[in-house]
Amino acid sequence: MTEKITLSWLNEPLAIPNLEMYRLAQARQAQLTKPPGSLGQLEEIAIKLAALQNTSQPCVERVHIAIFAGDHGVAMEGVSAFPQSVTSEMIRNFARGGGAINVLARALGASLEIINLGTVHDTQSLTGVQHYHLGPGTENFTHVPAMTWDQLNRALNVGFEVIERAQQNNKQLFIGGEMGIGNTTSASALACVLLNERPTLLTGSGTGLDSDGIARKINVISEALSLHSPLVDSPLDALRRIGGFEIAALTGAYIRGAQSGFPILIDGFICTVAALTAEHISPGCKNWFFYSHQSAESGHARILNALDAKPLIALNMRLGEGSGAAIAYNLLNLACKLHNEMATFSEAQVSQKNLSSKP
């Protein structure tokens, strides 16, 4: 079927981290004026970034953030505590600079773009928003696939374009965020398919459902899995059937980042599911990812574990928008500065640890 043809760039090879730079960064860390390993995960960050950026002086001062937004047909099943109109209302809020991610981007000096992939309510009149019009949200995946192959390909390609622009503008780190009422339902269902897990283990409160709401959400996901799981023939097909426009765009961005050697800081639950999807589509993508935080959303820890991920912080956040990644970003930036600017033992004329245990 011609409809099933996917984008050729998805088959491009992934970039390979520079192991020589990795070893040189390890050696430098051993010479800095501190006990070996005393900066813990900050040392690991700097060493990994040196390998990813192919440099002895890793740096993430130039950051690009993209927020992908889209509506979900499954929202009509009552799986969110908020009405679907909130998606477009929050896009308007982002365009006016009033969202949490706007505040954080300003504080970090990061560039920020807002991308509407397709919502029920029109946002065309808003300035400062990129409009892609893939449809008025996805279809209700309890009855039919969420997306056509064409919609999936176009959403993936939006992620590709975002990474290409960021690199052309000499950015050093990418943060993706999302907005879409119903998208924790989509993300949970997608993770269930990819990990062969039960909905009860990967489904949480999302925007604030009570226990009855969570039970309804689990039932909706179970219904969708009964319909689609026997038919899924690839991770891409799973993404098409039960994903969302914004999840697909994030997945495309993560794959393109790994192909082009662009480090990525992953946000919370939904972004981590997109990272999991990228890894299933193109194994090895996760070598280019850092994981910002473990969110309060039920199931996030299991998905992080499936990626062998080590989140940087845990602040009980569940906002989305890329907010957790924007907050954790400072740890990456400081890790680089410590690596690059601390004196070595020889430079500071400080005695190193005795290597002999003789009296």
Side-chain angles (χ1 to χ4, degrees), residues 28 31-33 340-350:
R28 175 169 174 78
Q31 292 298 315
L32 297 180
T33 47
N340 297 333
E341 299 176 21
M342 279 183 70
T344 63
F345 283 103
S346 61
E347 289 168 345
Q349 298 182 334
V350 172

Side-chain angles (χ1 to χ4, degrees), residues 14 16 59-60 82 104-105 148 206 211 231 277 281 296 302 311:
L14 304 181
I16 300 173
C59 182
V60 290
F82 286 84
L104 293 166
T148 65
S211 57
L231 303 174
T277 308
I281 293 169
R302 285 179 177 268

Side-chain angles (χ1 to χ4, degrees), residues 272-290:
T272 306
V273 172
L276 179 72
T277 308
E279 177 64 20
H280 276 250
I281 293 169
S282 190
C285 280
K286 66 181 183 181
N287 293 330
W288 293 88
F289 302 161
F290 295 88

Side-chain angles (χ1 to χ4, degrees), residues 10 20 36 76 88 116 122 169 226 234 248 263-264 277 279 323 340:
L10 287 174
E20 179 60 24
M76 67 179 62
S88 55
N116 183 351
D122 183 31
N169 290 321
S226 295
S234 68
I264 293 170
T277 308
E279 177 64 20
S323 57
N340 297 333

Side-chain angles (χ1 to χ4, degrees), residues 66 80 86 100 102 120 129 139 176 191 199 220 223 228 230 251 270-271 279-280 289 294 317 329 342 355:
S80 175
V86 167
N102 299 97
V120 171
V129 177
E139 296 291 338
V220 167
E223 182 180 346
H228 295 291
T251 301
I270 293 156
C271 290
E279 177 64 20
H280 276 250
F289 302 161
Q294 181 175 320
M317 296 178 68
Y329 156 77
M342 279 183 70
L355 299 180

Side-chain angles (χ1 to χ4, degrees), residues 322-341:
S323 57
I327 288 170
Y329 156 77
N330 286 300
L331 295 177
L332 271 68
N333 190 33
L334 291 172
C336 291
K337 291 186 178 299
L338 288 165
H339 181 83
N340 297 333
E341 299 176 21

Side-chain angles (χ1 to χ4, degrees), residues 65-70 87 91 94 113-117 132 155 158-160 162-163 165 174-180 183 245-254 271 321:
I65 303 172
I67 306 302
F68 302 97
T87 304
I91 293 172
F94 296 147
E113 61 182 326
I114 311 302
I115 300 168
N116 183 351
L117 294 144
Y132 280 88
V158 171
F160 173 98
V162 167
I163 294 298
R165 283 197 298 271
F174 175 70
I175 293 173
E178 41 63 40
M179 177 63 217
N183 62 6
F245 292 154
E246 77 279 40
I247 297 172
L250 282 163
T251 301
Y254 295 160
C271 290
E321 303 178 13

